[in-house]
Amino acid sequence: MKEQASLGVSGLDDVLNGGLMRGCLFLLEGSPGTGKTTLGLQFLLAGRDAGERVLYITMSETESELRGTAASHGWSLDGVTIFELVPPENLLDEAQQQSLLYSSDLELGETTSRIFQAFEQINPDRVVLDSLAEIRLLAQGSLRYRRQVLSLKHYFARSHATVLMLDDLTSDTTDKTVHSVAHGVLRLEELSPDYGAERRRLRVLKYRGRHFRGGYHDFVIRRGGVQVFPRLVSGEHGEDFVRDLLPCPSPQFSALLGGGIERGSSVLVLGPAGTGKSLLVLTFVASAVARGERAAIFIFDEERALFVQRALGVGLDVESMVDSGKLVVEQIDAAQMTPGEFSARVRQLVEEGVRTVAIDSLNGYQAAMPEEQALVLHIHELLQFLNRRGVTTYLTVAQHGLVGDMRSPVDVTYLADTVILLRYFEARGRVRRAISVVKKRASAHEDTIREYRIGAGGILLGEPLIHFQGVLRGVPSIAPSDAENRLMPDGP
């Protein structure tokens, strides 16, 4: 028999570095509604599917409620033995009088004795005890409660059973009696943001003699059970690849970027609304698809259908790229998806072969992560992970304002390898657009400012505006002798 007992929960075995140590007692605690029962059932079902004997001892839910929970996830509890202690009104059923008890009518020792009897009848390999709150109420004191928990621990240990005790934290939350007794402690939490769906996360508080993935890990409860998204640690991922120079969509872009974009680097596109940040990124993504690479675009701020339609307007057929299997376009609802789940999705696509990732935009990503410092840390880990895997990343940030001084909702320019700045400026009574590269770590780049235009043929770059100054402030001064030759021809 394996040393580790898998919990059967996607991602959680990774957090626990393999699962639960067999023959030990673990505590799973969390407020009502955080998913303890669902996770406990998955733990038993994983054991049943592995050919083990499993037992669910419940003092807080009836068997019908447990089966209802299982049915909501599409599970069958065949092969799972359920021993319940039920309210006295259920004892009126003569068919159940011999097998069902009501815990509050018993002394603590007698309740524990009946638990042992149920255990001996099955001799299970896995046990879930739901919940410790009932035993704590019967104990009516910390010392007696601790002794009963120790009694349960030693009894189960002699039989080499792996035990998961559930605690709903409805009693004294400062009582850490079981923490010192249990071999490991997992805590589930539910957060309620000001807007959007509730967020759930878990943390391993303790695991004796075992290295585990620390910190908080997002998780969700959907049909099929609990799914955990382990916190991304970039240092654990890496592969050898050649940091070659990727070709640009046009010679003008190539000159602006000093020859191209390095594979495995990150590119940040900054600019106010409407400057074409999304289309610029899509131009580079289409170039990656054209050379045979797989790419993915995550849209936070725009409807997918509108994004596809706008791309068609500049000659980029997104749907055909998607149909070819070379491009994945996913619309992300920041109010519904946690940053941990988003990172897990990016990682999944990278492991499936995606080599270009675009995130449009970080403003939408920030909506999912209100704490700015935490957002920067998330982005840092995500960019480092993509860099180590040889993935070229494009990010956009919409700045506040239209001309003059621009402000960004979050400053991540120091994280990106290349920063492209888009600006509006006024000249000859028209609103025009300017592009410049203000940072490039890997190589030299053009330090001039170019005008660009968005048309049916995509993004067209003009010659460097070398006889202008103040373009980035929005109102440039123009040398009269050169003005006619340095601006792009006026379009319709």
Side-chain angles (χ1 to χ4, degrees), residues 29-36 167-170 173 187-190:
E29 62 180 17
S31 301
T34 51
K36 299 182 302 299
D167 191 356
D168 58 16
L169 299 179
T170 54
T173 57
R187 173 170 291 180
L188 309 183
E189 297 181 4
E190 184 179 67

Side-chain angles (χ1 to χ4, degrees), residues 224-475:
V226 173
Q227 184 177 2
V228 177
F229 308 105
R231 181 174 57 84
L232 184 62
V233 180
S234 60
E236 298 177 352
H237 306 273
E239 64 181 41
D240 295 329
F241 64 94
V242 179
R243 291 190 181 272
D244 53 333
L245 208 59
L246 302 176
C248 289
S250 70
Q252 291 81 6
F253 273 117
S254 182
L256 185 68
L257 291 162
I261 299 293
E262 288 72 20
R263 186 181 302 278
S265 64
S266 55
V267 180
L268 176 65
V269 182
L270 288 167
T275 48
K277 299 181 298 297
S278 301
L279 291 178
L280 177 60
V281 166
L282 182 57
T283 299
F284 283 96
V285 170
S287 179
V289 172
R291 61 177 176 264
E293 294 184 6
R294 290 196 64 201
I297 300 178
F298 298 93
I299 308 170
F300 281 88
D301 306 323
E302 191 174 5
E303 184 68 30
R304 187 183 189 277
L306 181 58
F307 177 82
V308 172
Q309 183 180 354
R310 286 202 307 118
L312 274 176
V314 294
L316 297 174
D317 191 347
V318 172
E319 289 293 1
S320 66
M321 288 186 277
V322 172
D323 293 340
S324 70
K326 293 295 185 181
L327 179 64
V328 177
V329 179
E330 294 192 2
Q331 184 177 348
I332 306 298
D333 187 346
Q336 297 295 120
M337 180 177 285
T338 65
E341 183 176 0
F342 175 70
S343 296
R345 178 57 179 154
V346 173
R347 177 181 171 182
Q348 178 188 356
L349 288 174
V350 169
E351 291 174 347
E352 291 174 359
V354 165
R355 284 297 170 262
T356 299
V357 170
I359 301 174
D360 183 26
S361 67
L362 289 188
N363 304 69
Y365 190 91
Q366 186 183 32
M369 173 59 66
E371 304 87 357
E372 181 174 324
Q373 185 60 34
L375 168 65
V376 172
L377 291 174
H378 270 272
I379 290 295
H380 178 271
E381 285 297 313
L382 184 58
L383 290 181
Q384 287 293 318
F385 162 74
L386 294 170
N387 182 295
R388 291 169 182 267
R389 296 297 297 268
V391 177
T392 309
T393 312
Y394 297 89
L395 312 128
T396 68
V397 171
Q399 295 178 299
H400 302 315
L402 292 176
V403 295
D405 293 334
M406 298 285 114
R407 290 181 299 167
S408 298
V410 57
D411 183 13
V412 292
T413 54
Y414 73 96
L415 294 178
D417 299 307
T418 302
V419 178
I420 300 176
L421 188 63
L422 306 183
R423 280 288 182 267
Y424 289 115
F425 71 99
E426 181 270 333
R428 285 196 239 163
R430 298 176 69 97
V431 176
R432 300 173 181 270
R433 297 179 176 94
I435 184 172
S436 58
V437 176
V438 296
K439 170 187 175 182
K440 193 165 188 284
R441 282 192 179 127
S443 66
H445 61 88
E446 188 177 278
D447 57 4
T448 60
I449 302 172
R450 290 175 179 258
E451 186 183 359
Y452 70 96
R453 178 167 295 153
I454 301 174
I459 296 181
L460 305 176
L461 269 62
E463 293 298 314
L465 300 174
I466 58 175
H467 291 272
F468 289 76
Q469 61 182 9
V471 173
L472 298 185
R473 292 197 303 269
V475 185

